[in-house]
């Protein structure tokens, strides 16, 4: 094709004939590059949003600027506000629940007296019941529920395992072994000694997990399998200590503690959880984008510029500390970190920037009312709250699996 002909023809007419002429005149490799460039769709995307496949624009559309990830809309902000109000109302209502009758006026008078307001004080016995027993217990239930729900949400993304829960790392078994060691050997005294022993055992179990993963890496399969191994090891040590050294009363007390109970909650433990839980939630929320990437796999996360190993290590440390503090304070409470994240995903969606705060609030509300039910279900005898969460959690989890089409 001559140069004059090319000049007279339009771009669409010239392109099919231009490549053969260039092929004959230019070097083969250069002509091949030009041919492939002319054949390429000029409207093809330069990049793909790996985290939000549904947001990809159709082929041929203008995709010079990729769509930003969805942000908080009015509906989600309203849902978050509603959950905060539900949590506040649940804490106030659950404080009244118990074998002794506590009215709304009594609760207001106790809080008013502590805040320095001009209110008539309650009798000392009723005041101590509300302030020293009921209120710390309810607040502890809210904090522990939030911590366990956040840990479950994080671990399900890090391990890409829908069955992951806060006790996946063997931390609860380590806490149990530490508590049993304190009780059986008499290393510490009272609730403080048991709590300290449980915390030391939990951190020791997590250190053992990291030591075993030091050479093999932090991929999701190895984390799950190693966590199971560490948990079984400390469970065996707990059983051995009880069988060898403890009497029947000690065994019964330790077993009751291991099933989870809010009865030991006091203000000093509430303060510790009130510091650790928000810090853990903030650390996880700052890694929300990394969690979105890890939920699609390590390769996807790395392609997005996420330091996979460093991020996994940070998130494992956060979940281990949160779980250690929770278990050391109230024992092992199952199913909160397993079912709450799945249930909240139906309401808030899968993005962790939105999912994490909603899961924390939902976990707090769930455990507040579960503990209230544990106090009154078989009154005057109190049932360990871990038993109630299991009885509620099993059918709820089966319902979640059925709705996901996995059952």
């Amino acid at each position: 094709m001559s140069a004059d002909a090319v000049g007279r023809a339009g771009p669409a007419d010239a392109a099919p004939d231009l490549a053969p002429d260039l092929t004959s005149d230019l070097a083969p490799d250069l002509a091949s590059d030009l041919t492939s460039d002319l054949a390429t769709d000029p409207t093809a995307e330069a990049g793909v949003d790996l985290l939000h496949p549904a947001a990809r624009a159709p082929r041929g559309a203008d995709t010079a600027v990729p769509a930003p990830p969805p942000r908080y809309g009015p509906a989600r902000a309203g849902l978050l506000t509603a959950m905060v109000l539900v949590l506040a109302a649940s804490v106030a209502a659950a404080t009244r629940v118990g074998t002794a009758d506590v009215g709304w006026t009594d609760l207001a008078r106790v809080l008013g007296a502590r805040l320095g307001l001009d209110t008539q004080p309650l009798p000392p016995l009723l005041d101590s019941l509300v302030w020293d027993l009921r209120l710390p217990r309810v607040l502890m239930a809210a904090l522990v529920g939030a911590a366990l729900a956040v840990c479950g949400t994080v671990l399900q993304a890090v391990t890409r395992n829908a069955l992951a829960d806060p006790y996946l790392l063997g931390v609860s078994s380590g806490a149990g072994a530490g508590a049993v060691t304190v009780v059986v050997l008499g290393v510490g005294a009272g609730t403080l000694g048991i709590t300290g022993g449980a915390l030391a055992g939990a951190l020791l179990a997590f250190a053992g997990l990291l030591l075993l993963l030091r050479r093999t890496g932090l991929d999701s399969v190895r984390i799950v399998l190693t966590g199971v191994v560490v948990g079984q090891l400390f469970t065996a040590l707990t059983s051995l200590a009880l069988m060898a050294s403890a009497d029947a009363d000690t065994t019964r007390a330790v077993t009751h503690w291991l099933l989870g109970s809010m009865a030991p909650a006091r203000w000093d433990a509430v303060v510790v959880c009130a510091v650790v839980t928000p810090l853990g939630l903030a650390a996880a929320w700052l890694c929300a984008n990394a969690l979105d990437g890890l939920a699609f796999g390590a390769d996807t996360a790395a392609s997005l510029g996420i330091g996979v190993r460093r991020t996994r290590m940070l998130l494992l440390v956060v979940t281990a500390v949160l779980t250690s503090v929770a278990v050391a304070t109230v024992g092992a409470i199952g199913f909160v970190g397993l079912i709450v994240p799945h249930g909240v995903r139906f309401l808030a969606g899968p993005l962790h920037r939105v999912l994490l705060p909603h899961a924390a609030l939902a976990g707090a509300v769930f455990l507040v009312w579960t503990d209230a039910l544990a106090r009154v279900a078989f009154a005057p005898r109190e049932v360990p709250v871990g038993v109630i969460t299991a009885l509620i959690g099993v059918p709820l989890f089966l319902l979640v699996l059925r709705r996901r089409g996995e059952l």
Side-chain angles (χ1 to χ4, degrees):
M1 188 174 187
S2 65
D4 294 337
V6 173
R8 289 192 301 269
D13 297 326
D17 297 327
L18 180 58
D21 288 343
L22 289 171
T23 304
S24 61
D25 297 334
L26 299 175
D29 53 349
L30 179 59
S32 176
D33 292 341
L34 289 171
T35 304
S36 62
D37 290 340
L38 290 170
T40 302
D41 182 4
T43 61
E45 288 184 350
V48 179
D49 186 356
L50 295 175
L51 294 183
H52 309 287
R56 297 177 186 173
R59 188 175 181 82
D62 184 8
T63 57
V65 180
R71 299 179 181 273
Y72 265 92
R76 283 174 175 166
L79 176 62
L80 189 66
T81 303
M83 293 183 70
V84 171
L85 295 176
V86 169
L87 176 59
S90 298
V91 169
T95 306
R96 300 181 58 242
V97 176
T99 55
D101 186 24
V102 176
W104 290 106
T105 304
D106 299 331
L107 180 59
R109 288 167 63 183
V110 170
L111 295 178
R114 292 302 186 282
L115 294 175
L117 302 179
D118 187 15
T119 58
Q120 183 179 1
L122 287 177
L125 185 60
L126 186 57
D127 182 85
S128 178
L129 172 67
V130 175
W131 183 255
D132 295 328
L133 297 179
R134 294 270 183 92
L135 196 56
R137 178 175 186 149
V138 173
L139 292 177
M140 178 64 73
L143 291 168
V144 171
L148 295 179
V150 168
C151 290
T153 304
V154 170
L155 288 174
Q156 286 170 13
V158 170
T159 64
R160 302 185 67 200
N161 186 349
L163 300 179
D165 71 347
Y167 307 124
L168 180 70
L169 305 178
V171 171
S172 62
S173 300
V180 169
T181 301
V182 169
V183 172
V184 172
L185 301 181
V187 177
T191 303
L192 183 61
I194 294 176
T195 302
L199 181 60
L203 295 178
L204 180 62
F206 181 65
L209 175 74
L210 295 183
L211 183 63
L212 293 175
L213 292 173
R214 180 170 54 91
R215 293 183 180 274
T216 59
L218 293 176
D219 66 273
S220 58
V221 176
R222 289 191 177 94
I223 291 172
V224 173
L225 295 179
T226 309
V228 171
V229 170
V230 172
Q232 291 299 317
L233 172 62
F234 279 92
T235 299
L237 293 176
T238 301
S239 301
L240 181 62
L242 286 175
M243 296 267 311
S245 305
D247 56 16
D249 293 336
T250 303
T251 302
R252 188 181 302 110
V254 171
T255 302
H256 189 275
W257 179 84
L258 290 175
L259 291 175
S261 176
M262 299 294 165
R266 296 296 182 267
W267 282 112
D268 53 352
V270 171
V271 170
V272 173
C273 285
V275 172
V276 174
T277 300
L279 290 177
L281 174 59
W285 189 80
L286 291 175
C287 297
N289 291 334
L291 285 169
D292 291 335
L294 289 172
F296 281 85
D299 293 338
T300 301
S303 69
L304 295 171
I306 298 170
V308 174
R309 183 179 178 84
R310 183 179 65 254
T311 303
R312 275 180 172 166
M313 177 63 72
L314 173 62
L315 292 171
L316 288 178
V317 171
V318 169
T319 55
V321 171
L322 286 175
T323 306
S324 300
V325 171
V327 174
T329 306
V330 299
I333 300 174
F335 279 96
V336 178
L338 180 61
I339 64 172
V340 169
H342 289 293
V344 174
R345 284 189 185 95
F346 288 117
L347 299 176
L351 293 181
H352 287 82
R353 187 173 296 275
V354 180
L355 179 61
L356 284 169
H358 286 82
L361 292 171
V365 172
F366 176 77
L367 198 55
V368 163
W369 283 112
T370 304
D371 178 59
L373 180 60
R375 295 202 300 268
V376 300
F378 297 94
R381 177 175 295 179
E382 181 178 322
V383 180
V385 68
V387 175
I388 303 297
T389 58
L391 292 175
I392 297 174
V394 169
L396 286 179
F397 188 64
L398 292 177
L399 178 62
V400 169
L401 291 179
R402 185 175 182 84
R403 292 195 62 178
R404 288 166 58 97
E406 298 177 4
L407 184 66

